[in-house]
Amino acid sequence: MNFDLSEEQRLLKDSVERLMLDSYSFGDRRKYQTEKRGFSEAMWARYAELGLLALPFAEEHGGFGGGAVETMIVMEAFGKALILEPYFATVVLAGGLLRLGASEAQKAELIPLIAEGRTKLAFAYAEPQSRYDLVDVETRAKRDGDGWILNGSKDLVLHGDAADKIIVSARTAGDTRENDGVGLFLVDADAPGLTRRGYPTQDGLRAADITLERVRVETANVIGDPAGAFPVISRVADEAVAALCAEAVGSFTQMQAITLDYLKTREQFGKKIGSFQVLQHRAVDMFVDLEQSRSMAIYAAIMAVESDASERERAVSAAKVQIGRSAKAIGQQSIQLHGGIGMTMEHSVGHYFKHVTMLDTLFGDAEHHLRRLAALGGLSGDQRME
Amino acid sequence: MKLLVPVKRVIDANVKARVKADGSGVELANVKMAINPFDEIAVEEAIRLKEAGKAEEIVVVSIGPAQAAETLRTALAMGADRAILVKVDELVEPLGVAKVLKGVVEVERPRLVILGKQAIDDDSNQTGQMLAGLLGWAQGTFASKVEVAADRARVTREVDGGLQTVDLKLPAIITVDLRLNQPRYASLPNIMKAKKKPLDEKVPADFGADVKAKLKVIKTEEPSSRKTGVKVGSVAELVDKLKNEAGVL
Amino acid sequence: MDLAFTKEERAFREEVRQFLRDNVLPEIRRKLAEGRKLAKDEIAAGARILNKRGVPTWPKEYGGAGWTLVQQYIFEEEVRAFPAQLTFGMGESLVGPVIYTFGSEVQKKYYLPRIANAEDWWCQGFSEPGAGSDLASLKTRAVRNGDRYVVDGQKIWTSGAQYADWIFCLVRTDPDVKKQQGISFLLIDLKTPGVTVRPIRLIDGDHVVNEVFFDSVRVPIENLVGEENKGWGYAKYLLGNERFGDAGVGISKERIRLAKELAERACVRGARLIDQTAFREKVAAVEVQLKALEITQLRVVASASKQQKGTQDPASSILKLRGSEVEQASAELLMDAAGPYALRDLSQEEREGRNEPPVGAYGAARSAPTYFYSRAASIYSGSSEIQKNIIAKAILGL
Ligand SMILES: Cc1cc2nc3c(=O)[nH]c(=O)nc-3n(C[C@H](O)[C@H](O)[C@H](O)COP(=O)(O)OP(=O)(O)OC[C@H]3O[C@@H](n4cnc5c(N)ncnc54)[C@H](O)[C@@H]3O)c2cc1C
């Protein structure tokens, strides 16, 4: 057993954390938010420079072969700073689909573009009716000579309005919610027939709803098997959940620190409010939630690359349950302990609260994952456990 | 030209230091450590000199416990070429460090030694000067600008109330100040490369240096705790506090 | 013991229903049913209609309807169910009762009809940056100068100050005595020179609260309520009404209704969310809490007429405390029902009055702001921690 970071992982962590410390204060974030696309292009360039945009890709494609633990390190630092840039959408989601599903030619073309920060991607998976179900795909792709024609609507596409290219899940065969028959199609954001409506999300990031009307996709831009992409999607979703768990842990860490600091400075009744025992216990509860979440985020990162689907899904769901519940517990408590000031846009703690609330709703909230875990027999139903 | 840059492992500047219960020193158990910020500036300067074609090799050296290897890796990941760890578990005073460095200089034969002006843990601000003394080399301290030509270095120094420029004949010692440069972050490509860079382990005896402590620490104290500040909600409240509580208005 | 209302009470309910049908403007009803906000003059017009037979919560002699607590309770329930907008804010619910209980005859004659008529809007200037839970440590000074007080200082978290005409304030009139003993209750016209109102945006994106600054504001001494330096007592009376009055049963009911409506439209693997056992159980659990609260409130209402004047049923002390928890739990149900569709923030489009077709399930986009704002319920008018401190001391004798 070893929970220590390797030398390279430690250096990576140091670098990202320092970059955040130097360039991503709450005030910086506010500034970045007012930029044209709702995030900082300059920071995006810094991520490229540091190699973060190439992190998870194989070395032969210009990447660094980073695994889930490396992604965890980066996402945790990002969660601490509450970053606005489309790292999750481009590198974790779309990057994951390319990594696990794309042909050599596609990887050779696209990964360097991502790594250098020249191309941003998004993954359009959700639909108006799909809720948390990734296989609930009604968008249709029909054969058209040597290409495909896409029709349908996609919802809540994270950073869909800033993306240069969008990977769309669409059904080439089968009925809605059948595992077989789902394909992945790489579409230019300005392709004829594609319209996007961008909007802010509740935590101040960006998303878009996308309509596809007779959008043509060449065969070369189909990622993987046009009728068999679902296993790739679900693997990427599990990796994504692990990444979100790490991001949440970063935010939790910061919320706990900010709140603790407030307990030590705010005075009422002539005392530091941290001297009231009832608040001390709350602070301890927050700390317990934080450490339990950290453990589960590590568990998710390690298990996210497990090839046995059932084992992987159980672990990832278990982690998301913990994270979703802690998002509520830590989020609500950190507002409560701040009193009125915690409710304002001026103070950072409310922004963290909103962000972790949204992290809970991404790729399935705690309830959804509890159900999935229970349906898979829970965690202790594993026969292979020694 | 070869450059030697000594780096020290110190408590991270963002961590609030606490004194050990027995007052013998600062608590270091479970505390985040980092490269001394001034040394980081020195490493950055060396890398810039190399990038500008003024130097061929950068050797970093750290005198400290086994974990100081982490600090050396950080320097290697920034862009230094080779590292030497001189392992000592006890705290080494500036004179001891200077003596070890003198030994390293005699083996490595650098043309320039670039050091941080001081370490943020003991704030001694002595090592560079002592090393210059032991070696009999020229020194330019508190550098805010460094220009290197074939066998000379021009150092702009931050002195009280202004700037002073000195011209040094190489080999020489430079100690760097805060405003010299903005150190880079180790990028992933460089982190990967750092893995393959050599890191030699030595002990002070290899350089014939005596690092026994000459000073005795009598006690260590935390600064008398400043009354914690309050966040004022408005200018009016601030004025009110200045008037009625601080009595300064 | 009987949970059913008496014959007279049921007749009263019918009468209220008829009154609402006859009087409330259809477009206001529609707006409220859609969860939209009313404009200031719509609220004022609505209040004038609802107050036609007197202010529901006030005694007859001061322009009230003179209803029993049970009647008030029925009225409120019907108004919410209709829906029409409820009371006319802090004038009616907070400062009105202070004025008719402690105010001078002149004050009663001047202020009460203007409140009942929705001519004056009021806001509450109690909290300060340094005086939240420890309200008595407030610092805003009022110095007597001839026939005026000169007020200097700052209030914060003042709800509705951007709409209000008047603010009722706690001010320090004697800095040299025990802090509770040097406080006075002052009525200040917000148009007086030296008053500045600045907005504070809350995390749900809305502008509800403000900062109010007083810079040498001259207030006539006639605006003092009751006696100088006795304001803390009046404030305690007011806070008692505020904290022990409303359990937010109506708000919680409405949220649960909305959550269920969303869950009927939301589908999970082709089935409706509302048909899922886990979701139904969760809703049921909140409904149980809400029912317990509702019955407690009915007990309090029913016993109030029998209590000695000036005393309260001890159970009344848990209404605000528990009420805020149930409000929060029902807001969480909204989040559960909205799921990923809570992610969109359409508030900017809403504010700018953009007329694009709504996206996603109806009401889902309001879920997150409702959840965010619900967190304030356990902070305002005395945080839950403070409520518990008070109950432990005053009721449990700890
Ligand atoms: C949306 C909203 C609307 C409001 N509207 C108004 C208004 O119209 N007018 C007005 O005057 N005020 C208003 N308030 C202010 C509200 O009453 C205060 O926020 C509240 O009293 C808490 O004070 P504070 O914010 O300063 O928090 P603090 O008092 O600083 O409290 C911080 C934390 O410490 C806890 N705490 C404090 N003392 C103790 C103790 N002794 N024991 C245990 N825990 C303790 C609190 O419970 C809280 O968790 C409003 C607040 C909000 C959020």
Side-chain angles (χ1 to χ4, degrees), chain A residues 321-358:
Chain A
V321 170
Q322 174 73 49
I323 295 294
R325 302 216 153 153
S326 294
K328 272 194 183 144
I330 295 179
Q332 297 177 355
Q333 219 45 260
S334 60
I335 301 283
Q336 183 68 22
L337 299 192
H338 275 83
I341 193 77
M343 285 295 298
T344 64
M345 286 283 205
E346 231 98 321
H347 199 286
S348 67
V349 75
H351 295 262
Y352 283 97
F353 170 54
K354 295 203 279 187
H355 185 57
V356 299
T357 302
M358 292 305 125

Short mmCIF file of all heavy atoms in Angstrom, two decimals, chain A residues 321-358:
data_model
loop_
_atom_site.label_atom_id
_atom_site.label_comp_id
_atom_site.label_asym_id
_atom_site.label_seq_id
_atom_site.Cartn_x
_atom_site.Cartn_y
_atom_site.Cartn_z
N VAL A 321 -21.30 9.16 -4.66
CA VAL A 321 -22.27 9.28 -3.55
C VAL A 321 -21.65 10.09 -2.41
O VAL A 321 -22.24 11.05 -1.90
CB VAL A 321 -22.71 7.88 -3.05
CG1 VAL A 321 -23.53 8.01 -1.76
CG2 VAL A 321 -23.52 7.15 -4.12
N GLN A 322 -20.45 9.69 -2.05
CA GLN A 322 -19.76 10.41 -0.96
C GLN A 322 -19.60 11.89 -1.29
O GLN A 322 -19.87 12.78 -0.48
CB GLN A 322 -18.38 9.78 -0.72
CG GLN A 322 -17.53 10.53 0.28
CD GLN A 322 -18.01 10.34 1.71
OE1 GLN A 322 -18.25 9.24 2.15
NE2 GLN A 322 -18.18 11.44 2.41
N ILE A 323 -19.16 12.15 -2.51
CA ILE A 323 -18.89 13.52 -2.91
C ILE A 323 -20.17 14.35 -2.94
O ILE A 323 -20.22 15.47 -2.45
CB ILE A 323 -18.20 13.55 -4.31
CG1 ILE A 323 -16.83 12.91 -4.25
CG2 ILE A 323 -18.12 14.97 -4.86
CD1 ILE A 323 -15.79 13.62 -3.42
N GLY A 324 -21.23 13.77 -3.47
CA GLY A 324 -22.51 14.49 -3.56
C GLY A 324 -23.02 14.84 -2.18
O GLY A 324 -23.48 15.95 -1.92
N ARG A 325 -22.92 13.89 -1.28
CA ARG A 325 -23.42 14.14 0.08
C ARG A 325 -22.55 15.16 0.79
O ARG A 325 -23.04 16.02 1.52
CB ARG A 325 -23.46 12.83 0.86
CG ARG A 325 -24.34 11.83 0.12
CD ARG A 325 -25.11 10.95 1.05
NE ARG A 325 -26.33 10.54 0.35
CZ ARG A 325 -26.98 9.43 0.59
NH1 ARG A 325 -26.56 8.61 1.52
NH2 ARG A 325 -28.08 9.15 -0.09
N SER A 326 -21.26 15.03 0.60
CA SER A 326 -20.36 15.99 1.26
C SER A 326 -20.51 17.38 0.66
O SER A 326 -20.30 18.38 1.34
CB SER A 326 -18.91 15.51 1.18
OG SER A 326 -18.75 14.34 1.93
N ALA A 327 -20.85 17.43 -0.62
CA ALA A 327 -21.07 18.74 -1.25
C ALA A 327 -22.19 19.46 -0.51
O ALA A 327 -22.11 20.66 -0.25
CB ALA A 327 -21.42 18.58 -2.72
N LYS A 328 -23.22 18.71 -0.15
CA LYS A 328 -24.31 19.31 0.61
C LYS A 328 -23.84 19.68 2.00
O LYS A 328 -24.03 20.80 2.47
CB LYS A 328 -25.48 18.33 0.71
CG LYS A 328 -26.43 18.45 -0.45
CD LYS A 328 -27.73 17.72 -0.17
CE LYS A 328 -28.61 17.80 -1.41
NZ LYS A 328 -29.40 16.61 -1.65
N ALA A 329 -23.23 18.71 2.67
CA ALA A 329 -22.87 18.92 4.07
C ALA A 329 -21.87 20.06 4.21
O ALA A 329 -22.10 21.01 4.98
CB ALA A 329 -22.31 17.63 4.65
N ILE A 330 -20.79 19.98 3.46
CA ILE A 330 -19.75 21.01 3.59
C ILE A 330 -20.26 22.34 3.05
O ILE A 330 -20.05 23.40 3.65
CB ILE A 330 -18.46 20.58 2.85
CG1 ILE A 330 -17.86 19.34 3.53
CG2 ILE A 330 -17.43 21.72 2.84
CD1 ILE A 330 -16.60 18.80 2.87
N GLY A 331 -20.96 22.28 1.93
CA GLY A 331 -21.47 23.51 1.31
C GLY A 331 -22.41 24.25 2.23
O GLY A 331 -22.26 25.44 2.50
N GLN A 332 -23.39 23.54 2.75
CA GLN A 332 -24.40 24.19 3.59
C GLN A 332 -23.78 24.70 4.88
O GLN A 332 -24.07 25.81 5.34
CB GLN A 332 -25.52 23.19 3.90
CG GLN A 332 -26.25 22.75 2.63
CD GLN A 332 -27.31 21.70 2.89
OE1 GLN A 332 -27.48 21.21 4.00
NE2 GLN A 332 -28.05 21.35 1.85
N GLN A 333 -22.91 23.89 5.44
CA GLN A 333 -22.30 24.29 6.71
C GLN A 333 -21.40 25.50 6.55
O GLN A 333 -21.37 26.39 7.40
CB GLN A 333 -21.49 23.10 7.25
CG GLN A 333 -21.57 22.90 8.72
CD GLN A 333 -22.97 23.02 9.28
OE1 GLN A 333 -23.32 24.05 9.83
NE2 GLN A 333 -23.77 21.98 9.14
N SER A 334 -20.68 25.55 5.45
CA SER A 334 -19.75 26.67 5.31
C SER A 334 -20.52 27.98 5.12
O SER A 334 -20.08 29.02 5.58
CB SER A 334 -18.75 26.43 4.17
OG SER A 334 -19.41 26.26 2.96
N ILE A 335 -21.69 27.92 4.49
CA ILE A 335 -22.52 29.13 4.40
C ILE A 335 -23.05 29.49 5.79
O ILE A 335 -22.96 30.63 6.24
CB ILE A 335 -23.73 28.90 3.46
CG1 ILE A 335 -23.28 28.52 2.06
CG2 ILE A 335 -24.64 30.13 3.44
CD1 ILE A 335 -22.78 29.62 1.22
N GLN A 336 -23.59 28.49 6.46
CA GLN A 336 -24.20 28.73 7.77
C GLN A 336 -23.21 29.39 8.73
O GLN A 336 -23.54 30.35 9.42
CB GLN A 336 -24.71 27.40 8.34
CG GLN A 336 -25.43 27.52 9.68
CD GLN A 336 -26.78 28.24 9.53
OE1 GLN A 336 -27.35 28.29 8.45
NE2 GLN A 336 -27.26 28.81 10.62
N LEU A 337 -22.00 28.88 8.74
CA LEU A 337 -21.03 29.39 9.72
C LEU A 337 -20.54 30.80 9.36
O LEU A 337 -20.00 31.50 10.20
CB LEU A 337 -19.84 28.44 9.86
CG LEU A 337 -20.20 27.03 10.36
CD1 LEU A 337 -18.96 26.26 10.76
CD2 LEU A 337 -21.18 27.05 11.52
N HIS A 338 -20.76 31.19 8.13
CA HIS A 338 -20.41 32.56 7.75
C HIS A 338 -21.54 33.55 8.05
O HIS A 338 -21.32 34.76 8.01
CB HIS A 338 -20.09 32.65 6.25
CG HIS A 338 -18.67 32.30 5.92
ND1 HIS A 338 -18.24 31.02 5.76
CD2 HIS A 338 -17.58 33.08 5.74
CE1 HIS A 338 -16.95 31.02 5.48
NE2 HIS A 338 -16.51 32.26 5.47
N GLY A 339 -22.74 33.06 8.31
CA GLY A 339 -23.86 33.98 8.50
C GLY A 339 -24.14 34.71 7.19
O GLY A 339 -23.85 34.21 6.10
N GLY A 340 -24.68 35.93 7.29
CA GLY A 340 -25.12 36.68 6.12
C GLY A 340 -24.07 36.82 5.03
O GLY A 340 -24.36 36.66 3.84
N ILE A 341 -22.83 37.06 5.42
CA ILE A 341 -21.79 37.34 4.42
C ILE A 341 -21.58 36.13 3.49
O ILE A 341 -21.23 36.30 2.32
CB ILE A 341 -20.46 37.73 5.13
CG1 ILE A 341 -19.47 38.33 4.14
CG2 ILE A 341 -19.81 36.57 5.84
CD1 ILE A 341 -19.78 39.74 3.77
N GLY A 342 -21.85 34.93 4.00
CA GLY A 342 -21.71 33.73 3.18
C GLY A 342 -22.72 33.65 2.06
O GLY A 342 -22.55 32.91 1.10
N MET A 343 -23.80 34.41 2.19
CA MET A 343 -24.87 34.38 1.18
C MET A 343 -24.61 35.36 0.03
O MET A 343 -25.43 35.44 -0.89
CB MET A 343 -26.20 34.76 1.83
CG MET A 343 -26.83 33.67 2.70
SD MET A 343 -27.30 32.20 1.77
CE MET A 343 -28.53 32.85 0.62
N THR A 344 -23.53 36.09 0.08
CA THR A 344 -23.36 37.15 -0.92
C THR A 344 -22.43 36.73 -2.06
O THR A 344 -21.54 35.91 -1.90
CB THR A 344 -22.74 38.42 -0.29
OG1 THR A 344 -21.42 38.11 0.18
CG2 THR A 344 -23.57 38.91 0.89
N MET A 345 -22.65 37.37 -3.19
CA MET A 345 -21.79 37.18 -4.36
C MET A 345 -20.37 37.69 -4.10
O MET A 345 -19.42 37.28 -4.76
CB MET A 345 -22.35 37.96 -5.55
CG MET A 345 -23.56 37.34 -6.16
SD MET A 345 -23.11 35.92 -7.18
CE MET A 345 -24.50 35.89 -8.29
N GLU A 346 -20.27 38.63 -3.16
CA GLU A 346 -18.99 39.26 -2.86
C GLU A 346 -17.99 38.27 -2.29
O GLU A 346 -16.80 38.37 -2.51
CB GLU A 346 -19.21 40.33 -1.78
CG GLU A 346 -18.65 41.66 -2.09
CD GLU A 346 -19.74 42.54 -2.63
OE1 GLU A 346 -20.59 42.03 -3.39
OE2 GLU A 346 -19.77 43.69 -2.28
N HIS A 347 -18.50 37.35 -1.49
CA HIS A 347 -17.62 36.43 -0.77
C HIS A 347 -17.41 35.17 -1.59
O HIS A 347 -18.32 34.70 -2.27
CB HIS A 347 -18.25 36.11 0.58
CG HIS A 347 -17.28 35.56 1.56
ND1 HIS A 347 -16.79 34.28 1.48
CD2 HIS A 347 -16.69 36.12 2.65
CE1 HIS A 347 -15.94 34.08 2.47
NE2 HIS A 347 -15.85 35.18 3.19
N SER A 348 -16.22 34.59 -1.50
CA SER A 348 -15.94 33.43 -2.34
C SER A 348 -16.70 32.19 -1.90
O SER A 348 -17.01 31.33 -2.71
CB SER A 348 -14.43 33.14 -2.35
OG SER A 348 -14.01 32.72 -1.08
N VAL A 349 -17.01 32.09 -0.60
CA VAL A 349 -17.51 30.80 -0.10
C VAL A 349 -18.81 30.38 -0.80
O VAL A 349 -19.01 29.20 -1.11
CB VAL A 349 -17.64 30.81 1.44
CG1 VAL A 349 -18.84 31.60 1.92
CG2 VAL A 349 -17.68 29.40 1.99
N GLY A 350 -19.66 31.35 -1.12
CA GLY A 350 -20.90 31.03 -1.81
C GLY A 350 -20.65 30.49 -3.21
O GLY A 350 -21.40 29.65 -3.72
N HIS A 351 -19.61 30.97 -3.85
CA HIS A 351 -19.29 30.49 -5.20
C HIS A 351 -18.81 29.04 -5.15
O HIS A 351 -19.12 28.25 -6.04
CB HIS A 351 -18.24 31.39 -5.85
CG HIS A 351 -18.76 32.79 -6.09
ND1 HIS A 351 -19.24 33.19 -7.31
CD2 HIS A 351 -18.91 33.84 -5.26
CE1 HIS A 351 -19.65 34.45 -7.23
NE2 HIS A 351 -19.45 34.85 -5.98
N TYR A 352 -18.06 28.72 -4.11
CA TYR A 352 -17.66 27.31 -3.95
C TYR A 352 -18.89 26.44 -3.71
O TYR A 352 -19.02 25.35 -4.26
CB TYR A 352 -16.69 27.16 -2.76
CG TYR A 352 -15.30 27.60 -3.10
CD1 TYR A 352 -14.84 28.88 -2.79
CD2 TYR A 352 -14.42 26.73 -3.74
CE1 TYR A 352 -13.56 29.28 -3.11
CE2 TYR A 352 -13.13 27.12 -4.06
CZ TYR A 352 -12.71 28.40 -3.75
OH TYR A 352 -11.45 28.79 -4.08
N PHE A 353 -19.79 26.95 -2.87
CA PHE A 353 -21.02 26.21 -2.58
C PHE A 353 -21.78 25.92 -3.87
O PHE A 353 -22.23 24.80 -4.12
CB PHE A 353 -21.86 27.04 -1.60
CG PHE A 353 -23.27 26.53 -1.38
CD1 PHE A 353 -23.50 25.22 -0.99
CD2 PHE A 353 -24.36 27.37 -1.55
CE1 PHE A 353 -24.79 24.76 -0.78
CE2 PHE A 353 -25.65 26.91 -1.34
CZ PHE A 353 -25.87 25.61 -0.96
N LYS A 354 -21.90 26.94 -4.71
CA LYS A 354 -22.64 26.75 -5.95
C LYS A 354 -21.92 25.75 -6.86
O LYS A 354 -22.54 24.91 -7.50
CB LYS A 354 -22.83 28.09 -6.67
CG LYS A 354 -23.69 29.04 -5.86
CD LYS A 354 -24.33 30.10 -6.73
CE LYS A 354 -23.41 31.24 -7.04
NZ LYS A 354 -24.14 32.31 -7.75
N HIS A 355 -20.61 25.87 -6.90
CA HIS A 355 -19.85 24.99 -7.79
C HIS A 355 -19.98 23.52 -7.35
O HIS A 355 -20.24 22.65 -8.18
CB HIS A 355 -18.39 25.40 -7.83
CG HIS A 355 -17.58 24.62 -8.82
ND1 HIS A 355 -17.90 24.55 -10.16
CD2 HIS A 355 -16.48 23.84 -8.66
CE1 HIS A 355 -17.02 23.77 -10.78
NE2 HIS A 355 -16.16 23.33 -9.90
N VAL A 356 -19.81 23.25 -6.07
CA VAL A 356 -19.89 21.85 -5.65
C VAL A 356 -21.32 21.32 -5.79
O VAL A 356 -21.52 20.13 -6.04
CB VAL A 356 -19.33 21.60 -4.22
CG1 VAL A 356 -17.85 21.99 -4.16
CG2 VAL A 356 -20.13 22.32 -3.15
N THR A 357 -22.30 22.21 -5.67
CA THR A 357 -23.68 21.78 -5.90
C THR A 357 -23.84 21.33 -7.36
O THR A 357 -24.48 20.32 -7.65
CB THR A 357 -24.66 22.94 -5.61
OG1 THR A 357 -24.47 23.36 -4.25
CG2 THR A 357 -26.10 22.50 -5.78
N MET A 358 -23.21 22.07 -8.26
CA MET A 358 -23.30 21.70 -9.67
C MET A 358 -22.47 20.45 -9.97
O MET A 358 -22.87 19.64 -10.80
CB MET A 358 -22.85 22.87 -10.55
CG MET A 358 -23.82 24.04 -10.49
SD MET A 358 -25.52 23.54 -10.92
CE MET A 358 -26.40 24.09 -9.49
#
